[in-house]
Amino acid sequence: MHNPTDDYSPLTLAFVGDGVYDLLVREYLARRANRPVGELNKTKVAMVNCKSQARFASMLMPNLSEKETAVYKRGRNAAPKSTAKNGTVAEYHSATGLECLFGYLYLNGEQDRVEELFHLIVDSVFNND
């Protein structure tokens, strides 16, 4: 069966995934502790930058299905117009792959899977505290 989101460009999926991932991080941090906004933002930036996202993508790889790995690779191999500000080109491409995966899952209504993958990331950052 053909999935309509398979026709979306990987950069469109990454565009959506960037927002999804950013909101997940913000929600998680807000629920974790009522802290000053500056402190919340500092932690958010540490989780959303391309270096961190590339590390998270690498960590998630063994947990991805064949289809999810293919979607990630489509995003990673896309040629974004912008360049990395705080990381290498390879990290930027890997981060784009992660965002592409989150966008794909979100647009397919796979919210449980989005949450599952996000919690693997959070657990790696905060060590289940």
Side-chain angles (χ1 to χ4, degrees):
M1 184 173 150
H2 179 70
N3 186 336
T5 51
D6 288 339
D7 296 333
Y8 287 32
S9 83
L11 296 180
T12 297
L13 294 172
F15 171 77
V16 172
D18 177 53
V20 170
Y21 180 79
D22 188 75
L23 184 57
L24 286 167
V25 170
R26 288 171 186 256
E27 179 183 353
Y28 177 81
L29 294 175
R31 291 181 186 278
R32 194 163 181 259
N34 188 14
R35 298 184 180 149
V37 173
E39 189 179 322
L40 290 172
N41 194 56
K42 183 178 176 186
T43 306
K44 179 201 72 99
V45 168
M47 291 184 69
V48 175
N49 69 59
C50 75
K51 267 187 195 303
S52 294
Q53 287 181 322
R55 190 175 81 248
F56 301 148
S58 177
M59 184 263 309
L60 288 179
M61 290 306 290
N63 300 289
L64 300 182
S65 70
E66 225 176 278
K67 177 63 179 178
E68 291 167 344
T69 299
V71 169
Y72 163 78
K73 287 180 178 179
R74 275 182 61 210
R76 183 196 64 197
N77 296 336
K81 299 287 183 227
S82 53
T83 56
K85 289 179 255 173
N86 298 310
T88 67
V89 171
E91 288 168 335
Y92 189 76
H93 282 271
S94 187
T96 302
L98 181 71
E99 292 170 348
C100 181
L101 175 61
F102 272 80
Y104 179 84
L105 293 171
Y106 177 82
L107 289 173
N108 280 318
E110 296 182 49
Q111 192 62 31
D112 288 346
R113 185 62 172 152
V114 169
E115 294 282 340
E116 182 181 342
L117 293 176
F118 181 71
H119 284 289
L120 289 172
I121 291 169
V122 165
D123 288 349
S124 78
V125 172
F126 296 104
N127 299 318
N128 297 315
D129 64 346

